[in-house]
Amino acid sequence: MKRVSGPSDDTGYLIALGRAIRTLRKERGLSQESLADAAHVDRSHMGKIERGERNVTILNIVRICFALDCPASELLLQAESQFLAPSSR
Amino acid sequence: MKRVSGPSDDTGYLIALGRAIRTLRKERGLSQESLADAAHVDRSHMGKIERGERNVTILNIVRICFALDCPASELLLQAESQFLAPSSR
């Protein structure tokens, strides 16, 4: 199966997920760098994740959520709400 | 960052996720092959995902959940409940 990277995500789900991570991060007053460090994720990779440019693995999502102190199911719930909301939001 | 594959998941999260997928699949009376086909995921890859041997990407999780007609947040909620439940369950 072709390795799917961000740009080929025609559903826009990765962008919604990245936006949800950014929202949760800012709510906690964290910089992108400190979240990356806390989640043991490479800083540039974190930037791409937040911009929806990476098809993130579940273990990285779990690490990011652990650093955000929020269950992964909650992050996905927020991504799904962004995903379904009208894009003009 | 080292590509994390299933076996190095010391948290056991991938096993809980695979178990949750299997449970949802069986509740819907689907075979592993028909779920794989419906989700456009390679059949052997699906087997490894259900056994917790693959660090699944979010787009594959979304595809599997679409085929199971269940939000990805719901799947992760079930995985989290399995993950926290005593292993003797």
Side-chain angles (χ1 to χ4, degrees):
Chain A
M1 195 180 112
K2 190 173 77 60
R3 234 173 90 79
V4 176
S5 65
S8 70
D9 163 32
D10 43 18
T11 64
Y13 190 91
L14 295 180
I15 289 170
L17 181 66
R19 221 180 265 156
I21 291 172
R22 178 164 290 172
T23 302
L24 287 168
R25 172 172 65 77
K26 288 186 172 177
E27 281 172 8
R28 285 150 179 79
L30 293 172
S31 68
Q32 197 176 78
E33 291 71 22
S34 54
L35 175 58
D37 295 347
H40 308 291
V41 168
D42 177 76
R43 288 183 177 190
S44 74
H45 190 55
M46 179 60 78
K48 291 183 178 101
I49 290 171
E50 284 200 6
R51 291 190 300 273
E53 295 170 7
R54 284 295 175 271
N55 183 12
V56 209
T57 63
I58 186 65
L59 288 187
N60 267 346
I61 288 173
V62 168
R63 284 193 194 108
I64 290 167
C65 288
F66 188 78
L68 291 170
D69 191 23
C70 129
S73 53
E74 174 58 32
L75 169 66
L76 264 57
L77 205 57
Q78 296 217 6
E80 283 156 8
S81 65
Q82 300 220 14
F83 186 56
L84 301 175
S87 59
S88 59
R89 234 167 55 101
Chain B
M1 199 180 107
K2 192 172 74 61
R3 230 172 93 81
V4 176
S5 67
S8 70
D9 165 30
D10 43 21
T11 63
Y13 190 92
L14 295 178
I15 289 171
L17 181 67
R19 221 180 267 157
I21 291 172
R22 178 166 291 174
T23 303
L24 287 168
R25 172 171 65 76
K26 288 186 171 177
E27 281 173 8
R28 286 153 179 75
L30 293 172
S31 67
Q32 197 176 81
E33 291 71 21
S34 55
L35 175 58
D37 296 346
H40 306 291
V41 168
D42 176 77
R43 291 184 177 189
S44 74
H45 191 55
M46 178 62 78
K48 291 183 177 105
I49 291 171
E50 283 200 7
R51 291 191 299 273
E53 295 169 7
R54 283 296 175 271
N55 185 13
V56 207
T57 63
I58 187 63
L59 287 186
N60 267 347
I61 288 173
V62 168
R63 283 193 195 108
I64 291 167
C65 289
F66 187 79
L68 291 171
D69 192 24
C70 128
S73 53
E74 175 57 31
L75 170 66
L76 265 57
L77 204 58
Q78 297 217 7
E80 284 156 7
S81 65
Q82 301 221 13
F83 186 56
L84 302 174
S87 59
S88 58
R89 231 166 54 100

